[in-house]
Amino acid sequence: MSKFWENFFKFRERQKNGREAILLKIPVFQELTPRELKTIQRILHQREYTEAEVIFAEGDIGLGMYIIEKGIVQIACKNEHHILAELAEGDFFGELALLDDAPRSASAVAKTPATLLCFFKPELLDLIERDPKLGSKILFRLAWTIGERLKSTNEQVKELMCVAQKRTGVTE
Amino acid sequence: MDAKKSGTFVKITFFSILAIIAVVFLTAVSSIVKLVIISALMAYVLDPAANLFESRGMTRTSATAAIFIIISGLIGISYLVLLPLLSEEIKSLKDGFHPENTAVMVSRIEELLVSNLSFLGVRDLHLLGRLQNSMARTGDWMFGHVLDAASLITSLILIPFIVFFLMKDGREFQKAFVSIMPNRYFEFTLYLFHKLNTQIGNFLRGQFIDAIIVGIFSVFAMWLVGVKYYFLIGVFAGLANLIPYFGPITGALLAVILSILQTGGFQMALYVIIAFTLIKLLDDAIVQPVIVAKSVHMHPLTVLLAVLAGGKLFGILGMLLSVPVVGFLKVVLHEGIMNYRKYGIKAV
């Protein structure tokens, strides 16, 4: 009997290991029920990128966030040609574009062949209209994620200020 | 460099041939294209209602089905209550006008024209005969085209069918279309869809609600003034209001002519003009800013020329569809050029 339940849960686990598991790693979707996750999966766009293919360029219209299902993506500044971050499976980027209309502030390039899931503003707005409960859940989590990022940026600014103060102290 | 140039040339030639084939094919099946366009516009108008039902916990399919049941109910009620009235008015229009005062009035106008414009060679106009003939023809046309045309029955079956699936699976259709776009243009295509949905969708919904409000106002006003075909005029004025500029004037003109023919005097016509002016003022000051706001902003001259061109090319349907079509082109061109300039979207 226990073997049966073990296999049963393994089966459930295997099912979860796919796209659902990746979505559950994203803070924006973490508190969603399985039914709500299915709704999200239906509105996601899946795109395949080849190695070194540009996902979006700095200055392009930003419409939403990308979730990496497979592969590695580099975020880089076009002018300085320097890599800001290297993201892998389960990571996400571009979530700010879900809220504002500003152009992309950096470029994203696939370092290896990649499969991305795209969650865009028109679909989010549509979702808010037809399923306000789910829409507000996502918006709340999105606000939380951006708040967390702001906190970490504040910490970094504080550290930098301390370093700068120390340096000016030394030179004086 | 030469290879790159020839590659671009091949691409342009290929897409041009593809575009020509598409245009030829669409022209060949123009009646189906017309049905699809009308259905798409109706689906656009009804989409927020389906969203509202969905937000109350229904699935998309049941929300769409619920809307169809409600519309069928409304049509059923209208058929029982309003159609006999409309049919009676059209039949009466078909039989022509025979009140004596109309004949007196028309002959008085004819005398006036002949005596004052004889230097232009105006003689024996036979206005009354012509008017009765044209009235009967208008009635025949309306009877033939609005009430019992065989093609209309086909459309009446096909349009709801297409509307149902466009409403139910519209998102999947859009997603499937976006999925075939190259990676470089996929986000921009979605952005265009988003812009079109908000701007054209708002415009169509606004115009539709506006037409209903103007129609109700017109029916009520004409009934109050005492015009004989108040319901027919009101419905016509409401529908005509869908065509910018020309619609409201045509609606008012029909009412004025019918009121002159009914009474043989200008007093009722004056009341009709006042009523339509008030309706137009009310529409421009209150209804339009509230309902048609946030839609495509187009210069009045663009709208006017678009309506004229649409009318010339495709008749009344062209006049109705010209503004959304030009709005669509405006959004696509504007966004395309803006993004090309601002963000430097390059051809692959």
Side-chain angles (χ1 to χ4, degrees):
Chain A
M1 197 66 181
S2 62
K3 198 82 179 161
F4 169 79
W5 286 113
E6 208 175 289
N7 280 331
F8 179 79
F9 285 118
K10 261 188 192 163
F11 173 71
R12 292 292 303 232
E13 239 359 84
R14 264 203 302 277
Q15 270 200 323
K16 264 197 172 179
N17 275 343
R19 193 163 285 176
E20 206 175 308
I22 287 177
L23 289 182
L24 282 171
K25 280 186 200 164
I26 313 293
V28 178
F29 304 123
Q30 258 167 14
E31 285 179 4
L32 302 189
T33 62
R35 195 186 65 84
E36 288 169 336
L37 275 174
K38 268 191 191 126
T39 309
I40 295 297
Q41 282 187 53
R42 271 200 295 272
I43 60 172
L44 291 175
H45 300 265
Q46 187 193 316
R47 307 292 300 185
E48 305 285 340
Y49 293 85
T50 53
E51 191 184 329
E53 191 178 353
V54 176
I55 297 160
F56 55 72
E58 190 179 330
D60 277 359
I61 302 162
L63 211 59
M65 68 187 269
Y66 288 83
I67 300 153
I68 305 171
E69 191 175 45
K70 210 171 72 190
I72 297 168
V73 171
Q74 284 181 333
I75 308 293
C77 270
K78 199 163 74 178
N79 296 333
E80 293 155 35
H81 288 290
H82 95 255
I83 296 171
L84 298 173
E86 200 164 272
L87 307 169
E89 192 184 308
D91 287 335
F92 63 101
F93 55 96
E95 72 282 5
L96 256 183
L98 283 170
L99 299 174
D100 72 355
D101 291 325
R104 298 283 188 192
S105 53
S107 302
V109 182
K111 192 184 174 189
T112 61
T115 306
L116 304 185
L117 302 171
C118 320
F119 181 57
F120 287 147
K121 197 173 174 176
E123 275 92 22
L124 175 62
L125 293 175
D126 188 47
L127 192 69
I128 293 166
E129 202 180 327
R130 60 195 173 87
D131 194 344
K133 198 178 149 196
L134 175 56
S136 53
K137 251 186 188 181
I138 291 172
L139 280 181
F140 183 78
R141 292 297 300 176
L142 191 63
W144 181 86
T145 310
I146 288 165
E148 286 298 306
R149 293 243 163 122
L150 184 65
K151 270 189 221 166
S152 109
T153 311
N154 282 345
E155 287 300 317
Q156 282 173 353
V157 170
K158 260 189 213 168
E159 278 171 26
L160 282 172
M161 277 173 76
C162 283
V163 172
Q165 270 172 358
K166 273 179 196 167
R167 277 191 183 171
T168 47
V170 169
T171 49
E172 273 168 14
Chain B
M1 191 72 183
D2 276 350
K4 200 179 175 187
K5 264 187 185 172
S6 70
T8 316
F9 178 73
V10 168
K11 258 185 200 173
I12 290 171
T13 317
F14 174 73
F15 281 113
S16 305
I17 292 169
L18 212 66
I20 292 167
I21 292 171
V23 169
V24 170
F25 176 73
L26 290 178
T27 318
V29 291
S30 63
S31 55
I32 300 169
V33 173
K34 265 185 207 168
L35 284 184
V36 172
I37 292 174
I38 294 169
S39 309
L41 296 182
M42 289 174 88
Y44 248 133
V45 169
L46 294 171
D47 192 57
N51 285 349
L52 184 78
F53 283 127
E54 258 191 299
S55 72
R56 297 282 183 273
M58 286 173 117
T59 61
R60 186 74 185 177
T61 310
S62 50
T64 312
I67 288 168
F68 268 73
I69 291 166
I70 292 169
I71 291 176
S72 306
L74 286 175
I75 290 172
I77 293 167
S78 310
Y79 185 80
L80 290 174
V81 179
L82 303 177
L83 199 73
L85 190 65
L86 195 67
S87 174
E88 192 69 27
E89 288 191 0
I90 292 175
K91 264 185 195 162
S92 145
L93 192 69
K94 195 184 167 197
D95 294 339
F97 282 80
H98 290 294
E100 286 194 354
N101 44 4
T102 305
V104 172
M105 187 65 204
V106 173
S107 54
R108 211 189 296 159
I109 294 171
E110 194 171 335
E111 268 170 33
L112 194 79
L113 288 173
V114 170
S115 63
N116 287 308
L117 302 172
S118 57
F119 63 93
L120 287 174
V122 176
R123 253 173 245 114
D124 302 329
L125 290 170
H126 304 297
L127 274 183
L128 188 66
R130 285 185 190 192
L131 201 68
Q132 279 179 352
N133 269 341
S134 72
M135 281 299 196
R137 258 187 280 132
T138 313
D140 271 340
W141 185 88
M142 288 180 97
F143 218 78
H145 285 76
V146 181
L147 293 180
D148 60 357
S151 65
L152 190 82
I153 293 166
T154 323
S155 309
L156 281 179
I157 297 165
L158 273 177
I159 289 177
F161 195 73
I162 302 170
V163 172
F164 183 85
F165 285 104
L166 283 180
M167 282 179 72
K168 187 175 98 60
D169 301 323
R171 284 190 203 110
E172 276 72 26
F173 291 152
Q174 186 181 315
K175 204 174 161 186
F177 178 78
V178 171
S179 71
I180 58 168
M181 294 307 287
N183 282 340
R184 190 75 187 97
Y185 300 114
F186 134 82
E187 205 169 341
F188 180 67
T189 311
L190 257 179
Y191 174 74
L192 262 187
F193 266 122
H194 176 54
K195 283 273 165 187
L196 287 171
N197 271 337
T198 46
Q199 298 198 6
I200 309 283
N202 280 345
F203 172 79
L204 289 172
R205 278 165 222 137
Q207 285 291 92
F208 179 73
I209 296 168
D210 189 40
I212 291 175
I213 294 173
V214 168
I216 292 169
F217 279 174
S218 304
V219 169
F220 184 68
M222 292 305 103
W223 172 75
L224 216 61
V225 171
V227 182
K228 206 172 166 187
Y229 305 100
Y230 65 93
F231 189 74
L232 185 63
I233 295 168
V235 171
F236 180 77
L239 288 174
N241 207 61
L242 288 169
I243 303 168
Y245 301 113
F246 297 95
I249 296 170
T250 318
L253 207 66
L254 178 78
V256 168
I257 293 170
L258 289 178
S259 66
I260 292 174
L261 292 174
Q262 184 189 331
T263 58
F266 288 105
Q267 202 186 4
M268 190 186 268
L270 188 72
Y271 291 142
V272 168
I273 291 169
I274 293 170
F276 270 100
T277 312
L278 282 176
I279 291 170
K280 183 76 191 131
L281 280 175
L282 216 68
D283 184 34
D284 283 350
I286 300 166
V287 184
Q288 290 262 358
V290 175
I291 291 171
V292 196
K294 279 199 262 170
S295 58
V296 196
H297 297 293
M298 279 193 279
H299 194 274
L301 191 66
T302 317
V303 176
L304 193 72
L305 291 176
V307 173
L308 280 173
K312 185 81 187 162
L313 289 171
F314 305 107
I316 294 174
L317 189 70
M319 287 175 105
L320 274 170
L321 300 181
S322 58
V323 180
V325 168
V326 173
F328 169 85
L329 292 176
K330 193 204 157 191
V331 172
V332 172
L333 288 175
H334 180 259
E335 295 300 331
I337 292 168
M338 280 286 287
N339 289 298
Y340 182 80
R341 278 191 197 147
K342 240 163 100 183
Y343 308 136
I345 288 177
K346 296 179 202 87
V348 179

